[in-house]
């Protein structure tokens, strides 16, 4: 039948599309990290949350997932002997459960190394879990949403003016500055 691709042609087309999609995704991530002046892609990225205020909840969750402030693992002791991906862990042996690793787990999150506001992910483990769950987690999430909504509604044309700076702390990721240009909403 005319117009149909052979399996070989379809395979080549799909491979080319995968490469193209990867290039675009990498370019978007680069613009998120290093915005350019007078760049349409940078402008679209910066306008993304302003255009869809309902994404504010996703901003909080995705930020907790993608760039969690906890650097160190959670020390635990094995209750039994366990074989884990070729490593033997003996009963009573201390192990470190790396939260950041769980939050970037490709088995749990598609494209886990990509910051994606439309992911709709629940970063539930960001505040630990079980009896170690942070009692302030709900309040922290709510404060984040309120702050982002207020900032975006008051300064809809806000834009990055430089890179984020983080304190050299061994156990927690602490941002010390994030330069932005604030432009109030036009009347």
């Amino acid at each position: 039948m005319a117009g149909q691709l052979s399996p070989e042609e379809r395979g080549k087309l799909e491979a080319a599309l995968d490469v193209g999609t990867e290039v675009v995704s990498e370019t978007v991530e680069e613009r998120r990290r290093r915005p350019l002046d007078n760049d349409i892609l940078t402008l679209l990225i910066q306008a993304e949350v302003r255009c869809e205020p309902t994404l504010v909840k996703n901003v909080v969750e995705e930020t907790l997932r993608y760039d969690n402030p906890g650097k160190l693992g959670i020390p635990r002791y094995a209750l039994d002997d366990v074989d884990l991906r070729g490593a033997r862990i003996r009963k009573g042996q201390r192990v470190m459960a790396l939260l950041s690793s769980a939050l970037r787990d490709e088995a749990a999150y598609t494209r886990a190394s990509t910051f994606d506001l439309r992911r709709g992910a629940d970063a539930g483990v960001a505040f630990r879990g079980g009896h170690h769950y942070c009692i302030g987690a709900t309040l922290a999430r709510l404060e984040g949403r309120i702050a982002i909504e207020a900032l975006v509604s008051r300064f809809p044309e806000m834009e990055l003016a430089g890179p984020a700076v983080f304190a050299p702390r061994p156990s927690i990721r602490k941002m010390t500055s994030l330069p932005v240009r604030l432009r109030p909403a036009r009347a």
Side-chain angles (χ1 to χ4, degrees), residues 121-144:
D122 176 13
V125 298
F127 289 103
R128 307 291 194 248
H131 64 278
H132 294 284
Y133 190 74
C134 174
I135 61 172
T138 302
L139 179 59
R141 284 182 164 107
L142 180 61
E143 288 174 332

Side-chain angles (χ1 to χ4, degrees), residues 48-63:
E48 187 173 42
V49 176
R50 285 179 232 138
C51 292
E52 296 184 55
T54 57
L55 289 178
V56 171
K57 178 182 185 282
N58 292 11
V59 170
V60 172
E61 292 301 311
E62 184 66 354
T63 300

